[in-house]
Amino acid sequence: MGRRGTATYKETLKTYAFGVSQDTSSAIADFLAPRVQVGVSSGMFKLFNDKNAFQIYETARALGGPATRIEFDATDGTFNCEPQALEVAIDDAERDKAGDAQSALEEAKTRTLVVNGGIAREHKVVTLVKAGVAAVAGKGKWSDGTVDPVLEIDEQIESIATDTGIMPNAMVIGLGAWRILKNHPLVIKRRQGADNATVDLSAFAAMLLNPAMTIKVGILSRDTTKFGKDKSAVNIVGAEVFTFIRSDNPTQYDPGFAKTFSIGSSSVEDVYTYREDKCRSDILAVDWSEDIKVVSAKCARRLTLS
């Protein structure tokens, strides 16, 4: 184990924390804004926010002549991976009660940190992407049973493909929005027959202009009230449908809707403990870095339900 001042690195807990972060399948933050490991705290990335961004490069090279070079422009974006951290106390009394199960206690505390960090990240990502792409006007009035959601989503798919030359391949739907979608009479009508009565995500994707669309439902919620007040939970994504372009292996150079630039490869870069004697506690902490950016609003469409 390494050390940082009086802090002791916990390599085994880091491995455990990484596993927890990979297992939080209900989170959609890494789906909306996939992680790009850049290895440095600051740098540049290609913005795809204007007409020239999606032009085709001339690749032919004359004998003895130079190749077309892809370069960062002055108008491209910059990232700055800010440090992030959460910590929790392990009181001496908790250790006494845990007896020989000290590892299980530390893992439980680590899971608490990772899960709460994931909720905070999801709220941050969704807030940023909502600010980065305005809702399409006049669409999403799906409380009206005569308005066809599939046709409206297909319009957005076609619009993105026309703007960028790339077929959008991803969709995020808030839990409440998915409830409305799967029960909409015009959606159900497309699944005729008792054997096809259920509309699941794969069945819904098959109805769309891109039937290979990967769809995820935003399930996580957050408490909108402060500590000491009665809980008031709301779905983080809300009554929204985002259709967008994403890459499973994003870089600083490829087009996509949003990305998370980070020094490390995961949402947990360090796990360590330090002693706080006056509180009779060991403090368990997780550190990571990130900068979430909307790379191209042209690569996404947003429908807000009403």
Side-chain angles (χ1 to χ4, degrees):
M1 344 175 151
R3 297 187 66 86
R4 176 185 294 173
T6 60
T8 302
Y9 283 102
K10 294 287 189 176
E11 194 65 37
T12 55
L13 286 180
K14 179 180 176 180
T15 302
Y16 174 78
F18 179 76
V20 172
S21 69
Q22 297 299 299
D23 192 42
T24 52
S25 56
S26 59
I28 50 88
D30 282 349
F31 186 69
L32 260 174
R35 194 172 298 275
V36 181
Q37 183 179 2
V38 288
V40 292
S41 61
S42 61
M44 297 188 72
F45 65 95
K46 294 297 293 183
L47 275 173
F48 293 84
N49 58 357
D50 59 25
K51 179 177 181 294
N52 293 327
F54 295 97
Q55 294 297 301
I56 297 172
Y57 287 102
E58 177 56 60
T59 59
R61 183 182 70 85
L63 293 179
T68 299
R69 182 174 299 176
I70 299 176
E71 298 177 327
F72 285 122
D73 296 325
T75 55
D76 278 325
T78 59
F79 62 81
N80 182 21
C81 301
E82 297 286 352
Q84 314 286 318
L86 275 178
E87 60 183 29
V88 65
I90 305 177
D91 194 280
D92 289 347
E94 291 180 285
R95 288 206 180 276
D96 291 342
K97 290 179 181 178
D100 294 333
Q102 297 299 313
S103 294
L105 173 61
E106 291 181 349
E107 287 180 355
K109 295 282 186 173
T110 302
R111 173 175 284 275
T112 297
L113 291 176
V114 174
V115 169
N116 281 275
I119 294 172
R121 169 164 159 70
E122 183 142 325
H123 179 242
K124 189 188 302 183
V125 168
V126 171
T127 299
L128 185 139
V129 300
K130 283 181 179 179
V133 58
V136 178
K139 304 294 182 180
K141 297 177 182 178
W142 299 342
S143 56
D144 183 345
T146 66
V147 176
D148 193 332
V150 173
L151 291 181
E152 289 199 345
I153 293 173
D154 278 353
E155 289 173 359
Q156 310 318 312
I157 294 172
E158 184 176 5
S159 176
I160 296 170
T162 301
D163 266 359
T164 65
I166 304 170
M167 179 67 89
N169 59 350
M171 184 179 295
V172 164
I173 307 174
L175 183 60
W178 174 236
R179 174 182 55 79
I180 293 170
L181 264 175
K182 74 184 296 294
N183 293 302
H184 194 284
L186 295 182
V187 173
I188 294 173
K189 188 177 180 180
R190 294 172 184 266
R191 298 278 290 172
Q192 294 291 345
D195 292 340
N196 296 322
T198 300
V199 180
D200 57 19
L201 290 176
S202 60
F204 183 69
M207 301 177 190
L208 299 176
L209 189 58
N210 179 9
M213 185 80 69
T214 300
I215 304 175
K216 290 187 178 292
V217 176
I219 297 173
L220 293 184
S221 62
R222 67 182 182 90
D223 190 351
T224 60
T225 57
K226 296 181 179 180
F227 285 107
K229 302 291 185 180
D230 290 339
K231 183 176 181 179
S232 178
V234 296
N235 182 258
I236 291 176
V237 178
E240 307 282 353
V241 176
F242 293 95
T243 305
F244 56 101
I245 298 168
R246 77 180 298 276
S247 170
D248 288 332
N249 298 291
T251 70
Q252 293 164 250
Y253 305 94
D254 64 293
F257 173 36
K259 298 176 184 178
T260 301
F261 298 97
S262 62
I263 296 173
S265 60
S266 77
S267 57
V268 179
E269 293 171 13
D270 286 320
V271 179
Y272 58 92
T273 61
Y274 65 91
R275 182 67 183 171
E276 203 167 74
D277 283 324
K278 70 176 182 178
C279 295
R280 283 78 170 169
S281 299
D282 296 322
I283 308 302
L284 180 64
V286 294
D287 279 13
W288 70 98
S289 66
E290 64 184 24
D291 189 7
I292 306 158
K293 296 289 189 181
V294 170
V295 174
S296 175
K298 289 182 177 294
C299 290
R301 297 293 185 272
R302 171 187 171 193
L303 297 178
T304 301
L305 274 61
S306 61

